Amino acid sequence: MTTTEYPAATGTDNDFARLSSRARNAEYAIFAYIGISAIVLVFELLELAGLVDLMSLTPGPLEDAYGLAAILMFVIFVGSVVLVSMWIYRAHANLRDRGIEMETSPGWAVGWFFVPIMNLFKPFQAMRELWSESHFESDSYGDPAPGAIGAWWGLWIVGNILSNVSLRMTSYGTGDSITIAIALSVVAGAMLIACAFLLRTIIRDITSAQNTEVNMRAVFE
């Protein structure tokens, strides 16, 4: 995989340069998350194939490696959340600072992810608005979402639901229910990896749009 070369910012300030920098940082974090998630996914597939026992009370080297990978995945996920949030805030702030009216403030574009119930749809609306306003499309808040954003959000919601169900089944289940839980975790992991790829595409597209369309309008207006 290679990272994206974003168009150079051309304004008198460095807001767009900061956006490109944050986009690269977010992209690195996303790639790291995809990599470690793929490793965890392989371990879970080995469990389904009966080659390892991830629930063993006397873990061997492979089981220990899985535990380490799971911890590392959590750490990378938290880092990814921070870096992607910084990009989301800056992308919204760029539009606000240039007088573009937004339904969602930069702070709430990030904050809605952490508000129960509202985090099921508000972040999606904010990202749809961000994409549309960055590309100068009309009625951004109410228009249908671009395909990548709709798919990204659908994978995020369903993947997290399946992951939570799997975790609960693993905590309280035994026997066949553990096998089902691991199978659900595999499906959830695959969906969240696909979600991460789509998020990287969305970040790239919005950043490129702001570094060209939004920035050039700011220069010539």
Side-chain angles (χ1 to χ4, degrees), residues 101-168:
E101 294 186 3
M102 304 281 287
E103 293 284 344
T104 308
S105 69
W108 276 114
V110 174
W112 285 129
F113 280 95
F114 305 98
V115 180
I117 306 300
M118 306 300 282
N119 60 8
L120 295 176
F121 61 92
K122 278 292 188 179
F124 164 74
Q125 291 178 341
M127 187 67 80
R128 178 182 61 189
E129 181 185 29
L130 175 62
W131 192 95
S132 297
E133 292 291 1
S134 296
H135 290 82
F136 289 95
E137 294 188 357
S138 61
D139 194 22
S140 60
Y141 203 67
D143 280 352
I149 294 179
W152 159 70
W153 193 246
L155 288 168
W156 172 254
I157 293 296
V158 177
N160 275 287
I161 289 174
L162 293 179
S163 181
N164 287 331
V165 171
S166 171
L167 181 61
R168 291 179 182 276

Side-chain angles (χ1 to χ4, degrees), residues 181-192:
I182 295 174
L184 288 176
S185 182
V186 167
V187 175
M191 295 182 74
L192 292 174

Side-chain angles (χ1 to χ4, degrees), residues 186-204:
V186 167
V187 175
M191 295 182 74
L192 292 174
I193 287 173
C195 171
F197 272 112
L198 285 173
L199 179 58
R200 183 257 181 176
T201 298
I202 293 166
I203 290 174
R204 178 194 62 197

